[in-house]
Amino acid sequence: MAAEGFFTQIGRIVKANRTAIQNLMIVLLVFGGKKFFEVAIFKCPCDPVRREFYSWMFIVGPAITLYVLGVLVNNKTWRIVTGCCQASNGCVDFCKTRKVCSGCCFGLFEVSFRALVGSFAWLVLAFMNSIFYACAVSTSLCQEGQDSPQLDESDKALSQSIGWVLLVGSSLLLLVLLLLWRMCSSYTYEQRRYAKLYAEVERQKFLEKAQMNAGKRVDETLEMFFSQEDLKIEDRDGWKKACKAWSNISLVGSKYMADCGYTTLHEWAILQRTGKGDIENPDGDASDHDQSENVQDSTLLIGATKS
């Protein structure tokens, strides 16, 4: 019981400080990547032209990559951008109808700010290491029998100074931004804690309800599919019908996403309920039905004119 309570308390601490722990893990991974590049990959070339480009790529390249990865792995990125181009007038109409332009801009700023943690951590460690920058600005030539030039100690000192400036400057900027954000917040401290708790419980309840609802709909769809007569194979023609029935839910591609349904099986069930035939020709029966309705309307119109 004591061990269970201990792990429960640890879980609560981790959950309450999830963002800080995530940032710490990013810094540790960046530190490990820096050591790997330094020991296993980086080697200052003798050619002065290639030396500058090669070294700056080791400084800037990983920072940009970490920023992009930080944006990609943040769920808020996809919550903001998903579906905005499906509006009738694109993203402009999306923002206009939902009046969320300020919220979207703030959300994107938050995503970018969090993604910069890894990038700044890499830049600080890269300049603190001093080898990358010293190689980039070095004008020394390789001595005979050497594969790398002798790096100047003053360049290394300057690199470490730049690293300290980045570290102190980013820390002060982070402090100021956090203070301004909390000071301008519409919530009090306790109200903000309640809002976070409410959002977490809402997410859990939504997932539970969605799973129950999806399970019910899936059971109905499966029952509808496996109860059709075409799956009862009794002869050669029955085998062909069964193959046709299976092919209706085995289409490859994203065509069903543009029409209706979440999967090919779901779309098949919807088309069966609406009487529009199979997935390969969902509009066939509907077009015939529309034509018959047009013919009836024309007949009634002619009759009314003659009267």
Side-chain angles (χ1 to χ4, degrees), residues 21 128 132 148 200 258 270:
I21 294 176
M128 286 291 192
F132 302 139
S148 300
E200 181 66 22
I270 293 175

Side-chain angles (χ1 to χ4, degrees), residues 8-255:
T8 302
Q9 186 68 20
I10 292 297
R12 291 177 180 175
I13 294 175
V14 171
K15 191 173 183 180
N17 301 276
R18 182 169 49 189
T19 302
I21 294 176
Q22 181 181 0
N23 293 335
L24 178 61
M25 293 299 297
I26 292 175
V27 172
L28 292 177
L29 289 175
V30 170
F31 180 77
K34 191 269 296 182
K35 298 297 293 185
F36 173 76
F37 282 131
E38 176 187 349
V39 176
I41 297 180
F42 184 80
K43 187 176 181 180
C44 190
C46 291
D47 186 2
V49 178
R50 291 193 303 115
R51 184 187 305 166
E52 183 177 3
F53 176 78
Y54 178 79
S55 302
W56 278 111
M57 284 304 299
F58 269 84
I59 297 175
V60 180
I64 297 176
T65 303
L66 287 171
Y67 174 78
V68 173
L69 291 177
V71 173
L72 292 178
V73 300
N74 196 326
N75 289 332
K76 184 168 290 188
T77 303
W78 310 115
R79 293 188 64 181
I80 294 174
V81 303
T82 300
C84 67
C85 291
Q86 294 297 325
S88 59
N89 195 25
C91 293
V92 176
D93 190 54
F94 176 83
C95 290
K96 179 180 178 181
T97 55
R98 291 163 176 80
K99 298 180 180 180
V100 293
C101 283
S102 58
C104 289
C105 292
F106 180 80
L108 291 174
F109 172 77
E110 184 180 357
V111 169
S112 300
F113 186 78
R114 290 188 176 183
L116 286 174
V117 173
S119 299
F120 265 94
W122 171 263
L123 290 176
V124 170
L125 291 174
F127 281 107
M128 286 291 192
N129 182 62
S130 73
I131 296 178
F132 302 139
Y133 179 80
C135 179
V137 300
S138 176
T139 57
S140 302
L141 300 177
C142 292
Q143 301 296 328
E144 185 177 355
Q146 292 182 344
D147 295 332
S148 300
Q150 186 69 28
L151 301 180
D152 193 349
E153 293 298 327
S154 61
D155 294 335
K156 293 183 179 181
L158 178 60
S159 177
Q160 293 175 348
S161 300
I162 295 175
W164 276 111
V165 170
L166 287 176
L167 180 60
V168 174
S170 60
S171 300
L172 293 176
L173 179 63
L174 178 62
L175 176 62
V176 172
L177 290 178
L178 287 177
L179 287 175
L180 290 176
W181 180 45
R182 289 299 182 91
M183 291 170 61
C184 298
S185 176
S186 58
Y187 291 156
T188 62
Y189 180 77
E190 296 297 336
Q191 188 179 8
R192 184 173 181 273
R193 291 179 60 187
Y194 176 78
K196 292 177 64 176
L197 178 62
Y198 178 90
E200 181 66 22
V201 174
E202 181 186 74
R203 186 187 66 84
Q204 295 177 357
K205 295 292 184 180
F206 177 84
L207 292 177
E208 294 174 1
K209 190 68 175 180
Q211 187 174 6
M212 292 176 57
N213 184 272
K216 181 180 178 180
R217 301 306 177 190
V218 168
D219 289 339
E220 294 175 355
T221 302
L222 292 175
E223 180 66 24
M224 182 178 180
F225 176 77
F226 285 108
S227 63
Q228 58 181 324
E229 294 293 330
D230 290 344
L231 292 180
K232 298 179 180 180
I233 304 174
E234 298 180 354
D235 51 17
R236 189 176 184 86
D237 292 336
W239 172 256
K240 293 181 179 180
K241 292 180 180 179
C243 292
K244 174 67 173 177
W246 282 107
S247 66
N248 281 334
I249 65 168
S250 303
L251 298 179
V252 179
S254 58
K255 175 180 178 295

